[in-house]
């Protein structure tokens, strides 16, 4: 999970946990890998060794293995959709320590916009500079979602709301109230027909599988203790209704199991899908996309 938030205590812990999970996946888990984030470890800088060491030492713990599965599967699906959809603009809401713009060949063919709290972005840019990673291919739109106008901030950084975009919203909605989620959806619904959203959401307790139940038992307590409690849980039906109320048409709901090719789950290690969070892909009607 990666809500990209910061507070007065310093950098976002959830952003670091997500980046460490992507980095550790390439180190702890055996091939075939679900996703190749070759930059996350470098971006984490001096914290990388400590954060990845937890996965090295206790990689089978439900929260650690579940985090690696979650962050890898969702990134695989979203970036595959980006490659297939023919988009020219990519908006990453709650970007945290996302590394797409710094490693993907697609980044040079897209206008990439990272949206997050200004404090989080300042911290990330310090990490990028310390790691010697340039940011020339990305626009940073600093947004306090409680106060700022998302559309205005993006437009000020070159985003064209009249051209379709892919919007990723991963590891965020579970930390927001439903009204806050709806406010952002209202903004997105005013963008060009054909704009697509890939949004991650947390499942209601009764819909989780056994792995999801065990993951939640540990993760919910940990995030609350860190001051970042999960606030919203949904069923696929309630997410579909929410998106419909805000002008979106749902194309599909995606579990971790279906987010990647089935062959990638035929593994020699203990990594497996955890049904705690799912993805939904939806679009603004008016233009059909594959």
């Amino acid at each position: 999970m990666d809500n990209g938030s910061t507070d007065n205590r310093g950098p976002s812990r959830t952003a670091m946990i997500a980046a460490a999970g992507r980095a550790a996946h390439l180190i702890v888990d055996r091939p075939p890998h679900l996703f190749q984030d070759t930059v996350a470890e470098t971006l984490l800088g001096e914290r990388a060794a400590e954060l990845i060491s937890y996965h090295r030492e206790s990689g089978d713990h439900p929260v650690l293995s579940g985090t690696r599965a979650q962050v890898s599967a969702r990134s695989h699906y979203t970036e595959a959709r980006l490659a297939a959809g023919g988009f020219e603009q990519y908006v990453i809401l709650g970007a945290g320590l996302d590394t797409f713009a710094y490693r993907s060949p697609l980044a040079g063919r897209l206008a990439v916009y990272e949206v997050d709290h200004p404090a989080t972005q300042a911290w990330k840019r310090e990490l990028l500079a310390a790691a010697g990673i340039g940011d020339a291919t990305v626009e940073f739109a600093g947004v306090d979602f409680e106060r700022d106008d998302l559309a205005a901030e993006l437009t000020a950084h070159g985003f064209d709301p009249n051209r379709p975009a892919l919007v990723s919203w991963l590891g965020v909605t579970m930390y927001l109230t439903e009204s806050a989620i709806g406010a952002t959806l209202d903004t997105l619904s005013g963008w060009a027909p054909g704009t697509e959203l890939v949004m991650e959401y947390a499942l209601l307790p009764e819909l989780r599988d056994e792995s999801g139940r065990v993951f939640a038992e540990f993760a919910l307590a940990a995030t609350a203790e860190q001051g970042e409690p999960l606030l919203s849980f949904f069923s696929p039906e309630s997410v579909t209704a929410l998106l419909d109320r805000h002008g979106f048409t749902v194309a599909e709901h995606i579990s971790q199991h279906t987010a990647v090719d089935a062959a990638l789950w035929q593994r020699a290690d203990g990594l497996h899908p955890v049904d705690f969070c799912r993805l939904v892909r939806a679009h603004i009607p008016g233009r059909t996309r594959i």
Side-chain angles (χ1 to χ4, degrees):
M1 293 165 281
D2 184 3
N3 66 1
S5 67
T6 61
D7 55 29
N8 292 331
R9 293 172 294 177
S12 168
R13 182 167 178 80
T14 53
M16 289 190 290
I17 288 172
R22 295 193 305 271
H25 177 51
L26 300 181
I27 296 169
V28 174
D29 301 312
R30 299 179 185 176
H33 292 119
L34 308 184
F35 185 70
Q36 299 270 351
D37 189 334
T38 55
V39 174
E41 182 178 6
T42 301
L43 182 59
L44 285 167
E46 62 184 18
R47 294 298 305 276
E50 174 198 350
L51 292 168
I52 294 172
S53 72
Y54 301 134
H55 293 268
R56 288 184 185 273
E57 296 164 7
S58 306
D60 291 335
H61 189 283
V63 166
L64 294 174
S65 63
T67 296
R68 296 197 306 277
Q70 179 183 357
V71 299
S72 299
R74 75 189 186 190
S75 294
H76 175 115
Y77 176 86
T78 304
E79 293 190 19
R81 182 61 204 155
L82 184 64
F87 299 95
E88 296 178 0
Q89 300 184 108
Y90 182 33
V91 178
I92 309 170
L93 297 180
L97 296 183
D98 187 275
T99 64
F100 170 83
Y102 317 102
R103 57 169 166 73
S104 174
L106 285 175
R109 304 197 294 270
L110 290 163
V112 182
Y113 303 89
E114 293 193 11
V115 180
D116 218 322
H117 192 283
T120 297
Q121 294 189 330
W123 165 59
K124 181 174 184 176
R125 296 183 85 160
E126 290 175 1
L127 293 178
L128 288 166
I133 302 171
D135 59 10
T137 62
V138 62
E139 288 288 334
F140 289 92
V143 172
D144 182 336
F145 287 94
E146 299 294 330
R147 297 181 298 179
D148 297 332
D149 184 327
L150 171 61
E153 290 295 328
L154 276 168
T155 300
H157 285 82
F159 177 75
D160 184 353
N162 298 309
R163 293 164 51 214
L166 180 72
V167 182
S168 69
W169 203 8
L170 308 178
V172 179
T173 65
M174 58 284 297
Y175 297 97
L176 305 176
T177 63
E178 186 170 333
S179 62
I181 297 168
T184 297
L185 292 175
D186 274 341
T187 297
L188 302 181
S189 67
W191 295 357
T195 291
E196 232 175 63
L197 170 67
V198 177
M199 183 179 85
E200 186 177 27
Y201 62 94
L203 283 171
L204 290 166
E206 62 268 24
L207 298 178
R208 301 166 192 160
D209 64 5
E210 179 60 18
S211 293
R213 185 194 65 77
V214 173
F215 181 87
E217 183 179 339
F218 289 99
L220 295 181
T223 56
E225 184 178 330
Q226 294 159 12
E228 298 177 326
L230 273 66
L231 301 177
S232 293
F233 303 91
F234 295 95
S235 67
E237 292 78 14
S238 63
V239 168
T240 295
L242 174 65
L243 288 163
D244 182 70
R245 289 197 300 272
H246 293 280
F248 284 85
T249 298
V250 169
E252 60 178 339
H253 290 266
I254 309 99
S255 67
Q256 285 182 25
H257 182 77
T258 59
V260 304
D261 296 336
L264 293 177
W265 291 120
Q266 304 302 311
R267 312 188 56 81
D269 56 27
L271 194 74
H272 61 272
V274 176
D275 207 14
F276 174 70
C277 289
R278 293 187 188 173
L279 302 173
V280 59
R281 179 168 66 89
H283 66 275
I284 297 172
R287 186 177 305 185
T288 302
R289 304 195 75 88
I290 297 173

